[in-house]
Amino acid sequence: MEQLPNEIISLIFEFLPLPGAKSFRQTCKALSQIGEDAVFANFEFQLYPRLDRLRAFSEMSKCLRIAKRLKSVSYESGILPESQDYRLWEVNEKSRCEAAFSERHASKYILRDLYHKLRHDLDARLTPDLPQKYEMYKWWLEEQAKLMAEPKRASELASILRRVPWVEEIKLLMVEPEIHLEDLEQDPNRYACCVPSGIDPRDRIRSRRTYTIKHFCCLVRALRILQNETPSIAVKRVKALLPREILASEALLPDLDNADRVQGARIHSDFIAVIAPLTAMDLDFVTFPHSDWLERNGTNIYTRGRDLGSLRLMNMLNMSRDLQELSLSFPEARRSEFSFALFDATNLDRFPRSWVPRLRSFTLRNFMCNWDDIAGFVPEMTSLKTLVLIDGHLETGSLIWMLRLCQKRLELDHFSIEGSWSVPEDDGGWHSWNSSSYISCLDYEGPYPASKGLRHRIEQYVVQGGQCPLPIWGRDENARSIWDRLGDGSMHYHPMTNAPYLNDPSYNQYVGTVPQNVP
């Protein structure tokens, strides 16, 4: 190795997987310096709600040689499900170890002996005191989450981020915490604690949710502090997988003291201030996992029958100044409310969608709308170049109407339609898949097209123009049979033959009529 030039060694690093590159780099100081580019390329620091990770983040930021390669900071917080007891964890951990073993050893001839050795080693590692360690570790994680939820963590995070002003992306992700066997095998004194007995499970579950919201609020508050001190902050992208309740945090947490209530009321203004200078956002809203212990306690997160989260989201988007790339994914249980807030054109004269004309890239997932909504929304995207629509539900209007509208009113460089679409106007639905997601389709028999399929022709039509591959039902009596004939593995029509409304005479009179505003 000493005789090889540095360029050859750097090339070796590029062909190694990341774990192997890390081990190879630790061989000596010379390899450590040569392998930095490969190991820390697109470096992202993952921050968890634990004090040791916060200290590691602080120490890393002081090492300029490594910190200068930092591109993204990810803050991952979440809630362990109530069903995650030791027995379920043990089954999942065995499955994880076996999956990792299968990835490392693909040979059929040595698999059996190595597999028996793996099972023997796993049984030896699952000692009788492991259930107690598991419960202690879970309680230790909750105590760490409580400490990381303190308001002073915002200023600590701000001081750390101040040392890495070149960070371009911040991620806030609600991810279920993972406990691995290696975590329990480390020094028990690190997480040893006395798990108190007699705690009301409702209080414990409510506290977990409160801490999760506070963790994200602390990071947002830290970014707000940085903006006040350094207006030219480099963060231009935010990716968030958040509980929708965070937008109604002061209503969700009715038992907070006065200081926390003030913090909850302030978080929305902080969100608006942080979002305002961003150029790209990826927002995916989910809901907290269902709890059998928590009952409805009268908390009011609605106003006048609408979800405060959806209203505040639209308010934040309207406050953005430079937003050009936006990805929105609505929670399944609340997609109608979020979609209504997005497409609502009732008060556009008083509250215009000022962020829409500036968008150059827009991705929308898991939404629902009617034809009038989409016909009024699409023409507002005057600067749009990339449009991706995933998993939609058209309450009125045909999918072909929407495709023709996008082709006539937008000048796109890229268009993509994906997922499962429910379209009552077409008496069925549409499925659009790529080569990797096609295996999840169970209602179409046939291979995925090796060359340009129906999906490719439709996307090409929206971008380049020409004749639409699919005829409009109402202008062509044989439209449905043509849809069936043209379908393939990339995109196909799925009729709803058993829908009860198909026998309704009033419905049959309406279907097939094409409004005047269809191109």
Side-chain angles (χ1 to χ4, degrees):
M1 294 296 292
E2 296 178 356
Q3 299 177 357
L4 291 178
N6 292 345
E7 292 78 9
I8 299 298
I9 299 178
S10 299
L11 191 62
I12 294 175
F13 271 106
E14 292 180 4
F15 282 91
L16 289 175
L18 185 57
K22 290 180 179 179
S23 301
F24 190 34
R25 180 175 173 268
Q26 294 174 352
T27 305
C28 66
K29 290 184 178 180
L31 292 179
S32 176
Q33 295 178 357
I34 297 173
E36 278 186 4
D37 292 336
V39 173
F40 294 101
N42 300 320
F43 181 31
E44 174 183 305
F45 187 89
Q46 293 179 321
L47 181 64
Y48 309 120
R50 299 191 333 228
L51 292 180
D52 59 339
R53 291 298 294 178
L54 183 63
R55 287 192 292 267
F57 188 26
S58 179
E59 293 298 324
M60 185 275 301
S61 65
K62 297 176 182 178
C63 180
L64 185 60
R65 186 164 53 88
I66 302 299
K68 67 180 181 180
R69 303 177 184 273
L70 185 64
K71 300 297 183 182
S72 174
V73 176
S74 172
Y75 196 170
E76 300 180 7
S77 179
I79 302 171
L80 279 172
E82 299 169 39
S83 59
Q84 190 77 352
D85 59 4
Y86 175 77
R87 291 175 297 178
L88 179 60
W89 171 85
E90 182 180 344
V91 173
N92 293 337
E93 191 65 13
K94 288 182 178 179
S95 300
R96 183 188 69 87
C97 294
E98 292 174 1
F101 167 82
S102 300
E103 292 180 1
R104 293 193 305 268
H105 305 91
S107 175
K108 299 180 181 179
Y109 303 104
I110 62 175
L111 187 59
R112 176 174 297 180
D113 293 339
L114 289 177
Y115 179 75
H116 286 304
K117 184 178 185 303
L118 170 71
R119 298 291 304 190
H120 181 270
D121 293 343
L122 273 178
D123 292 339
R125 295 170 66 186
L126 298 174
T127 57
D129 62 339
L130 211 57
Q132 182 182 2
K133 291 182 178 180
Y134 177 74
E135 293 299 326
M136 285 195 303
Y137 194 84
K138 283 177 59 178
W139 181 257
W140 178 77
L141 287 179
E142 293 186 23
E143 289 298 304
Q144 291 290 304
K146 179 180 179 180
L147 295 174
M148 287 292 291
E150 296 176 353
K152 66 180 182 181
R153 304 303 173 195
S155 58
E156 295 179 7
L157 284 170
S159 64
I160 298 174
L161 292 172
R162 194 179 296 114
R163 295 194 287 265
V164 287
W166 47 81
V167 172
E168 300 175 354
E169 184 179 30
I170 298 292
K171 298 180 181 180
L172 301 92
L173 307 177
M174 191 179 80
V175 180
E176 178 183 318
E178 294 184 353
I179 302 177
H180 297 312
L181 183 57
E182 294 79 9
D183 298 326
L184 304 183
E185 290 177 334
Q186 60 185 339
D187 184 10
N189 295 326
R190 178 171 172 266
Y191 58 86
C193 59
C194 181
V195 181
S197 58
I199 299 180
D200 189 347
R202 294 179 178 85
D203 294 337
R204 190 171 179 179
I205 295 167
R206 190 178 294 110
S207 297
R208 293 174 186 167
R209 300 176 180 225
T210 303
Y211 299 151
T212 299
I213 288 181
K214 285 186 176 182
H215 295 155
F216 297 131
C217 292
C218 283
L219 183 54
V220 172
R221 184 59 184 164
L223 294 175
R224 179 60 176 149
I225 294 173
L226 282 180
Q227 284 183 342
N228 292 334
E229 298 176 353
T230 310
S232 60
I233 184 173
V235 176
K236 295 300 180 183
R237 301 179 61 90
V238 166
K239 180 178 181 179
L241 175 62
L242 297 175
R244 67 173 183 85
E245 293 87 348
I246 197 171
L247 297 176
S249 55
E250 75 271 22
L252 178 73
L253 312 174
D255 300 327
L256 297 179
D257 53 28
N258 292 332
D260 286 334
R261 284 182 178 275
V262 172
Q263 182 187 13
R266 187 178 58 188
I267 188 59
H268 305 113
S269 61
D270 289 339
F271 260 114
I272 291 175
V274 169
I275 284 176
L278 296 178
T279 60
M281 281 195 301
D282 184 348
L283 302 178
D284 188 351
F285 290 96
V286 294
T287 57
F288 279 126
H290 172 72
S291 172
D292 293 330
W293 284 96
L294 289 181
E295 59 183 2
R296 298 183 182 273
N297 54 5
T299 57
N300 180 23
I301 62 172
Y302 296 90
T303 175
R304 298 177 184 174
R306 296 177 64 181
D307 191 326
L308 285 179
S310 60
L311 296 176
R312 284 171 173 160
L313 173 62
M314 296 304 113
N315 184 32
M316 288 189 290
L317 292 177
N318 274 328
M319 294 298 177
S320 62
R321 300 190 302 264
D322 304 316
L323 188 61
Q324 297 182 7
E325 300 178 19
L326 177 63
S327 176
L328 291 176
S329 181
F330 297 148
E332 181 66 31
R334 297 282 181 242
R335 71 170 182 171
S336 59
E337 296 164 5
F338 277 79
S339 299
F340 179 81
L342 174 65
F343 293 107
D344 182 23
T346 306
N347 297 315
L348 286 184
D349 53 340
R350 296 176 56 195
F351 308 104
R353 296 183 282 241
S354 58
W355 54 276
V356 176
R358 294 192 297 268
L359 288 180
R360 298 187 62 82
S361 176
F362 185 43
T363 300
L364 186 60
R365 179 193 296 270
N366 198 27
F367 68 99
M368 60 190 306
C369 64
N370 57 45
W371 168 245
D372 293 332
D373 291 336
I374 202 73
F377 187 81
V378 167
E380 294 183 27
M381 298 186 287
T382 54
S383 303
L384 198 68
K385 295 301 179 183
T386 300
L387 178 61
V388 180
L389 302 174
I390 307 172
D391 294 334
H393 173 73
L394 299 181
E395 297 176 297
T396 60
S398 169
L399 182 73
I400 294 89
W401 301 0
M402 185 188 71
L403 297 175
R404 294 172 67 94
L405 177 70
C406 293
Q407 193 277 323
K408 296 294 184 181
R409 303 304 298 269
L410 300 176
E411 297 181 359
L412 299 174
D413 295 333
H414 175 74
F415 174 79
S416 180
I417 182 168
E418 305 175 13
S420 178
W421 288 72
S422 174
V423 190
E425 178 72 26
D426 294 340
D427 273 357
W430 297 83
H431 293 171
S432 179
W433 313 103
N434 55 36
S435 57
S436 59
S437 61
Y438 168 68
I439 58 175
S440 62
C441 183
L442 302 178
D443 58 359
Y444 186 83
E445 296 181 0
Y448 194 84
S451 58
K452 301 174 181 179
L454 177 61
R455 173 179 168 176
H456 173 80
R457 297 200 302 273
I458 287 177
E459 294 175 350
Q460 188 178 39
Y461 156 74
V462 174
V463 174
Q464 300 179 2
Q467 183 178 1
C468 182
L470 299 173
I472 294 181
W473 187 18
R475 297 178 182 174
D476 190 329
E477 296 180 356
N478 299 320
R480 293 183 67 186
S481 61
I482 296 176
W483 297 347
D484 283 328
R485 187 171 65 252
L486 293 179
D488 54 36
S490 64
M491 186 172 182
H492 53 268
Y493 171 66
H494 180 62
M496 290 189 296
T497 56
N498 297 324
Y501 54 77
L502 295 181
N503 297 322
D504 187 352
S506 60
Y507 178 82
N508 291 328
Q509 292 177 3
Y510 169 74
V511 170
T513 58
V514 183
Q516 296 294 327
N517 58 350
V518 176

